[in-house]
Coordinates of all heavy atoms in Angstrom, one line a residue:
M162 N 201.4 198.2 73.3 CA 201.6 196.9 72.6 C 200.2 196.3 72.3 O 199.3 196.3 73.0 CB 202.3 195.9 73.6 CG 203.8 196.2 73.6 SD 204.7 194.6 74.0 CE 203.9 194.0 75.4
T163 N 200.2 195.7 71.1 CA 199.0 195.1 70.7 C 199.3 193.6 70.4 O 200.4 193.3 70.0 CB 198.5 195.7 69.3 OG1 199.5 195.7 68.4 CG2 198.0 197.1 69.6
V164 N 198.4 192.8 70.8 CA 198.5 191.3 70.5 C 197.8 191.0 69.2 O 196.6 191.2 69.1 CB 197.9 190.5 71.7 CG1 198.1 189.1 71.4 CG2 198.6 190.9 73.0
Q165 N 198.6 190.6 68.3 CA 198.0 190.2 67.0 C 197.8 188.7 67.0 O 198.6 187.9 67.5 CB 199.0 190.6 65.9 CG 199.1 192.0 65.7 CD 199.7 192.4 64.4 OE1 200.7 191.8 64.0 NE2 199.2 193.4 63.8
E166 N 196.7 188.4 66.4 CA 196.4 186.9 66.2 C 197.4 186.3 65.2 O 197.6 186.9 64.1 CB 195.0 186.7 65.8 CG 194.0 187.1 66.9 CD 192.6 186.6 66.6 OE1 192.3 185.5 66.9 OE2 191.8 187.4 66.1
Q167 N 197.9 185.2 65.5 CA 198.8 184.6 64.7 C 198.2 183.9 63.4 O 197.2 183.1 63.6 CB 199.6 183.5 65.5 CG 200.8 183.0 64.8 CD 201.5 181.9 65.6 OE1 201.2 181.7 66.8 NE2 202.5 181.2 65.0
T168 N 198.7 184.2 62.3 CA 198.1 183.6 61.1 C 199.1 182.9 60.3 O 199.0 182.7 59.1 CB 197.4 184.7 60.2 OG1 198.4 185.7 60.0 CG2 196.2 185.3 60.9
A169 N 200.2 182.4 60.9 CA 201.2 181.7 60.2 C 201.8 180.7 61.2 O 201.9 180.9 62.4 CB 202.3 182.5 59.7
A170 N 202.2 179.6 60.7 CA 202.8 178.5 61.5 C 203.8 177.8 60.7 O 203.8 177.9 59.4 CB 201.8 177.6 62.1
R171 N 204.6 177.0 61.3 CA 205.7 176.3 60.5 C 205.3 174.8 60.3 O 204.8 174.1 61.2 CB 207.0 176.3 61.3 CG 208.1 175.7 60.6 CD 209.4 176.3 61.0 NE 209.4 177.7 60.5 CZ 210.4 178.6 60.6 NH1 211.6 178.1 61.2 NH2 210.4 179.8 60.2
C172 N 205.5 174.4 59.0 CA 205.2 173.0 58.6 C 206.2 172.1 59.3 O 207.4 172.3 59.3 CB 205.3 172.9 57.1 SG 205.2 171.2 56.6
P173 N 205.7 171.1 60.1 CA 206.6 170.2 60.8 C 207.3 169.3 59.8 O 208.3 168.6 60.2 CB 205.6 169.4 61.7 CG 204.3 169.5 61.0 CD 204.3 170.8 60.3
E174 N 206.9 169.2 58.6 CA 207.5 168.3 57.7 C 208.7 168.9 56.9 O 209.7 168.3 56.7 CB 206.5 167.8 56.6 CG 205.4 166.9 57.2 CD 205.9 165.5 57.7 OE1 206.7 164.9 57.0 OE2 205.6 165.1 58.8
C175 N 208.4 170.1 56.4 CA 209.5 170.8 55.6 C 209.9 172.2 56.1 O 210.7 172.8 55.5 CB 208.9 170.9 54.1 SG 207.6 172.1 54.0
A176 N 209.4 172.6 57.3 CA 209.8 173.8 57.9 C 209.4 175.1 57.1 O 209.8 176.2 57.4 CB 211.3 173.9 58.3
A177 N 208.5 174.9 56.1 CA 208.0 176.1 55.4 C 207.0 176.8 56.3 O 206.4 176.2 57.1 CB 207.4 175.7 54.1
D178 N 206.8 178.1 56.0 CA 205.8 178.9 56.7 C 204.4 178.6 56.0 O 204.3 178.7 54.8 CB 206.1 180.4 56.7 CG 207.2 180.8 57.7 OD1 207.3 180.1 58.7 OD2 207.9 181.7 57.4
V179 N 203.5 178.2 56.9 CA 202.1 178.0 56.4 C 201.3 179.1 56.8 O 201.2 179.4 58.1 CB 201.6 176.6 56.9 CG1 200.1 176.4 56.4 CG2 202.5 175.5 56.5
T180 N 200.7 179.9 55.9 CA 199.9 181.1 56.3 C 198.4 180.8 56.2 O 198.0 180.0 55.4 CB 200.3 182.3 55.5 OG1 200.2 181.9 54.1 CG2 201.8 182.7 55.7
F181 N 197.7 181.5 57.0 CA 196.2 181.3 57.1 C 195.6 182.7 56.6 O 196.1 183.7 57.0 CB 195.8 180.9 58.4 CG 196.4 179.7 59.0 CD1 197.6 179.7 59.7 CD2 195.8 178.5 58.7 CE1 198.2 178.5 60.2 CE2 196.4 177.3 59.2 CZ 197.6 177.4 59.9
A182 N 194.5 182.6 55.9 CA 193.8 183.8 55.5 C 193.2 184.4 56.8 O 193.0 185.6 56.8 CB 192.7 183.5 54.5
E183 N 192.9 183.6 57.7 CA 192.3 184.1 59.0 C 192.8 183.2 60.1 O 193.3 182.2 59.8 CB 190.8 184.1 59.0 CG 190.2 182.8 58.6 CD 188.7 182.9 58.3 OE1 188.3 183.5 57.3 OE2 187.9 182.4 59.1
P184 N 192.7 183.7 61.4 CA 193.3 182.9 62.5 C 192.7 181.5 62.5 O 191.5 181.4 62.4 CB 192.9 183.7 63.7 CG 192.8 185.1 63.3 CD 192.2 185.0 61.8
P185 N 193.5 180.5 62.5 CA 193.1 179.1 62.4 C 192.4 178.7 63.7 O 192.6 179.2 64.8 CB 194.4 178.3 62.2 CG 195.4 179.1 62.8 CD 195.0 180.6 62.6
R186 N 191.5 177.7 63.5 CA 190.8 177.1 64.7 C 191.4 175.8 65.0 O 192.0 175.1 64.2 CB 189.3 176.9 64.3 CG 188.5 178.2 64.2 CD 187.2 177.9 63.5 NE 186.4 179.1 63.4 CZ 185.5 179.5 64.3 NH1 185.3 178.7 65.4 NH2 184.8 180.6 64.2
L187 N 191.2 175.4 66.2 CA 191.7 174.1 66.7 C 191.1 173.0 65.9 O 190.0 173.0 65.5 CB 191.3 173.9 68.2 CG 192.2 173.0 69.0 CD1 193.6 173.4 69.1 CD2 191.6 172.9 70.4
S188 N 192.0 172.1 65.5 CA 191.6 170.9 64.7 C 191.4 171.2 63.3 O 191.0 170.3 62.5 CB 190.5 170.1 65.3 OG 190.8 169.7 66.6
E189 N 191.6 172.5 62.9 CA 191.4 172.8 61.5 C 192.5 172.1 60.6 O 193.6 171.9 61.0 CB 191.5 174.3 61.3 CG 191.2 174.8 59.9 CD 191.2 176.3 59.8 OE1 190.8 177.0 60.8 OE2 191.7 176.8 58.8
L190 N 192.1 171.6 59.4 CA 193.1 171.0 58.6 C 193.5 172.0 57.5 O 192.7 172.7 56.9 CB 192.4 169.7 57.9 CG 192.0 168.6 58.9 CD1 191.3 167.5 58.1 CD2 193.3 168.1 59.6
V191 N 194.8 172.0 57.3 CA 195.4 172.8 56.3 C 196.4 172.0 55.4 O 196.9 171.0 55.9 CB 196.1 174.1 56.8 CG1 195.1 175.0 57.6 CG2 197.2 173.6 57.8
E192 N 196.7 172.5 54.2 CA 197.6 171.8 53.4 C 198.9 172.7 53.3 O 198.7 173.9 53.0 CB 197.0 171.5 52.1 CG 197.9 170.5 51.2 CD 197.2 170.2 49.9 OE1 197.3 171.0 49.0 OE2 196.5 169.1 49.9
C193 N 200.0 172.1 53.5 CA 201.3 172.9 53.3 C 201.5 173.2 51.8 O 201.4 172.3 51.0 CB 202.4 172.1 53.8 SG 204.0 172.8 53.5
G194 N 201.7 174.5 51.5 CA 201.9 174.8 50.2 C 203.2 174.3 49.6 O 203.4 174.3 48.4
E195 N 204.1 173.9 50.4 CA 205.4 173.5 49.9 C 205.5 172.0 49.6 O 205.9 171.6 48.6 CB 206.5 173.8 51.0 CG 206.9 175.3 51.0 CD 207.6 175.8 49.7 OE1 208.4 175.0 49.2 OE2 207.3 176.9 49.3
C196 N 205.1 171.2 50.6 CA 205.2 169.8 50.5 C 203.8 169.1 50.4 O 203.8 167.8 50.2 CB 206.0 169.2 51.6 SG 205.2 169.3 53.3
Q197 N 202.7 169.9 50.4 CA 201.4 169.3 50.2 C 200.9 168.3 51.2 O 200.0 167.6 51.0 CB 201.2 168.7 48.7 CG 200.9 169.7 47.7 CD 202.1 170.5 47.3 OE1 203.2 169.9 47.0 NE2 202.0 171.8 47.3
V198 N 201.6 168.3 52.3 CA 201.2 167.4 53.4 C 200.0 168.0 54.1 O 199.8 169.2 54.2 CB 202.3 167.1 54.4 CG1 202.6 168.3 55.3 CG2 202.0 165.9 55.2
E199 N 199.1 167.1 54.5 CA 197.9 167.6 55.2 C 198.3 167.8 56.7 O 198.8 166.9 57.3 CB 196.7 166.6 55.1 CG 195.5 167.2 55.7 CD 194.2 166.7 54.9 OE1 193.7 165.6 55.3 OE2 193.8 167.4 54.0
L200 N 198.0 168.9 57.2 CA 198.3 169.3 58.6 C 197.1 169.6 59.4 O 196.2 170.2 58.9 CB 199.3 170.5 58.6 CG 200.6 170.3 57.8 CD1 201.3 171.6 57.6 CD2 201.5 169.3 58.5
E201 N 197.2 169.3 60.7 CA 196.1 169.7 61.7 C 196.6 170.7 62.6 O 197.7 170.6 63.1 CB 195.7 168.4 62.4 CG 194.5 168.6 63.4 CD 194.1 167.3 64.1 OE1 194.7 166.3 63.8 OE2 193.2 167.4 64.8
V202 N 195.8 171.6 62.9 CA 196.1 172.7 64.0 C 195.9 172.0 65.3 O 194.8 171.7 65.7 CB 195.2 173.9 63.8 CG1 195.5 174.9 64.9 CG2 195.4 174.5 62.4
V203 N 197.0 171.9 66.1 CA 196.9 171.2 67.4 C 196.9 172.1 68.5 O 196.3 171.8 69.6 CB 198.0 170.1 67.5 CG1 197.8 168.9 66.6 CG2 199.4 170.7 67.3
T204 N 197.4 173.3 68.4 CA 197.3 174.4 69.4 C 197.2 175.7 68.6 O 197.6 175.8 67.5 CB 198.5 174.4 70.3 OG1 199.6 174.9 69.6 CG2 198.8 173.1 71.0
V205 N 196.5 176.7 69.2 CA 196.3 177.9 68.5 C 197.0 179.1 69.2 O 197.1 180.2 68.6 CB 194.8 178.2 68.4 CG1 194.1 177.3 67.4 CG2 194.1 178.3 69.8
Q206 N 197.6 178.9 70.3 CA 198.3 180.0 71.0 C 199.6 179.4 71.6 O 199.6 179.2 72.8 CB 197.4 180.7 72.0 CG 197.1 182.1 71.6 CD 196.2 182.8 72.5 OE1 195.8 182.3 73.6 NE2 195.9 184.1 72.2
P207 N 200.6 179.4 70.9 CA 200.8 179.7 69.5 C 200.2 178.6 68.6 O 199.9 177.6 69.0 CB 202.3 179.8 69.3 CG 202.9 178.9 70.3 CD 201.9 178.9 71.4
V208 N 200.1 179.0 67.3 CA 199.6 178.0 66.3 C 200.7 177.0 66.1 O 201.9 177.3 65.8 CB 199.3 178.7 65.0 CG1 198.8 177.7 64.0 CG2 198.2 179.8 65.2
T209 N 200.3 175.7 66.4 CA 201.2 174.6 66.1 C 200.5 173.6 65.2 O 199.4 173.3 65.3 CB 201.6 173.9 67.4 OG1 202.1 174.9 68.3 CG2 202.7 172.8 67.2
L210 N 201.3 173.1 64.2 CA 200.8 172.2 63.3 C 201.4 170.8 63.5 O 202.6 170.7 63.8 CB 201.0 172.6 61.8 CG 200.4 174.0 61.5 CD1 200.9 174.4 60.1 CD2 199.0 174.0 61.5
A211 N 200.6 169.8 63.2 CA 201.1 168.4 63.2 C 200.5 167.7 62.1 O 199.5 168.0 61.6 CB 200.7 167.7 64.5
P212 N 201.2 166.7 61.6 CA 200.7 165.9 60.4 C 199.3 165.3 60.8 O 199.1 164.8 61.8 CB 201.7 164.8 60.2 CG 203.0 165.3 60.8 CD 202.5 166.2 62.0
A213 N 198.3 165.6 59.9 CA 197.0 165.0 60.1 C 197.0 163.5 60.0 O 197.7 163.0 59.2 CB 196.0 165.6 59.1
P214 N 196.2 162.9 60.9 CA 196.2 161.4 60.8 C 195.6 160.9 59.5 O 194.7 161.5 59.0 CB 195.3 161.0 62.0 CG 194.5 162.3 62.3 CD 195.4 163.4 61.9
E215 N 196.1 159.8 59.1 CA 195.6 159.2 57.8 C 194.2 158.8 58.0 O 193.8 158.2 59.1 CB 196.5 158.0 57.5 CG 197.9 158.3 57.1 CD 198.0 158.9 55.7 OE1 197.2 158.5 54.9 OE2 199.0 159.6 55.4
V216 N 193.4 159.0 57.1 CA 191.9 158.6 57.1 C 191.9 157.2 56.6 O 192.2 156.9 55.4 CB 191.0 159.6 56.4 CG1 189.6 159.1 56.4 CG2 191.1 161.0 56.9
E217 N 191.4 156.3 57.4 CA 191.3 154.9 57.0 C 190.0 154.7 56.2 O 189.0 155.3 56.5 CB 191.2 154.0 58.3 CG 192.4 154.0 59.1 CD 193.6 153.3 58.5 OE1 193.4 152.5 57.6 OE2 194.8 153.6 58.9
E218 N 190.1 154.0 55.1 CA 189.0 153.8 54.3 C 187.9 153.0 55.0 O 186.7 153.3 55.0 CB 189.4 153.1 53.0 CG 190.1 154.0 52.0 CD 189.2 155.1 51.4 OE1 188.0 154.8 51.2 OE2 189.7 156.2 51.1
D219 N 188.3 151.9 55.5 CA 187.3 151.0 56.2 C 187.6 151.0 57.7 O 188.4 150.1 58.2 CB 187.3 149.6 55.6 CG 188.7 149.0 55.5 OD1 189.7 149.7 55.8 OD2 188.8 147.8 55.0
W220 N 187.1 152.0 58.4 CA 187.3 152.2 59.8 C 186.4 151.4 60.7 O 186.7 151.1 61.8 CB 187.2 153.7 60.1 CG 187.6 154.1 61.5 CD1 186.7 154.6 62.4 CD2 188.9 154.1 62.0 NE1 187.4 154.8 63.6 CE2 188.8 154.6 63.3 CE3 190.1 153.8 61.5 CZ2 189.9 154.7 64.2 CZ3 191.2 153.9 62.4 CH2 191.1 154.3 63.7
G221 N 185.3 150.9 60.1 CA 184.3 150.2 60.9 C 184.7 148.8 61.3 O 185.8 148.3 61.0
E222 N 183.9 148.2 62.2 CA 184.2 146.8 62.6 C 183.4 145.8 61.9 O 182.3 146.1 61.5 CB 183.8 146.7 64.1 CG 184.4 147.9 64.9 CD 185.0 147.5 66.2 OE1 184.7 146.4 66.7 OE2 185.9 148.2 66.7
Ligands
LIG481 ZN1 205.5 171.3 54.3

């Protein structure tokens, strides 16, 4: 048996398969090809995606 690195995960928004050219890294941001939502890699074994947090324009105090 060989363990292959996972290069696909499911979009939490539309359930489409999101594929990676190479094994994703933790906290990597990817865009779903189906719904164009921005996703963050939250775990890598297995690969799990979650919607990336919105970036606030004026985050400072
Ligand atoms: Zn999607």
